[in-house]
Amino acid sequence: FARYIKPLVKGFLRFEPVAWTMATFGAVSTAVIVIDRIPSKLRKAGIDLSDSAVALVKTLEEGGETVMALLALLAILQSHLIFGRRD
């Protein structure tokens, strides 16, 4: 874990595109996890969400998961274009 964090932070502070993409991926992943758990946590607290609120939460979650896939593809493409093939 620490082996990946140090280069990520260095790259983030140097404004390297791949590092920023991966940091954004991590932030979106965290947001998706939080959004995914909102309905169950509220239900346990005795709060029922309306149908429109549940639809909004599901839409945000699915949209976030789509963004995660796009960010992963973008990071791969950036890596390939920036670092190229190393033989």
Side-chain angles (χ1 to χ4, degrees):
F1 180 73
R3 157 182 165 183
Y4 299 108
I5 293 298
K6 187 175 179 181
L8 178 64
V9 171
K10 279 185 177 180
F12 187 79
L13 295 175
R14 291 180 185 161
F15 296 102
E16 293 176 0
V18 177
W20 274 80
T21 301
M22 292 313 298
T24 305
F25 179 86
V28 170
S29 299
T30 303
V32 166
I33 290 170
V34 170
I35 291 169
D36 182 43
R37 295 187 181 167
I38 287 174
S40 66
K41 295 293 183 184
L42 290 176
R43 206 171 16 258
K44 284 181 183 177
I47 302 170
D48 286 329
L49 293 176
S50 66
D51 290 341
S52 60
V54 170
L56 175 64
V57 169
K58 285 184 181 181
T59 301
L60 289 173
E61 178 196 355
E62 295 301 325
E65 288 173 354
T66 302
V67 169
M68 286 171 53
L70 293 174
L71 286 171
L73 290 173
L74 179 62
I76 292 168
L77 178 64
Q78 287 174 329
S79 260
H80 178 71
L81 293 175
I82 292 169
F83 302 114
R85 260 182 89 172
R86 296 185 180 175
D87 296 324

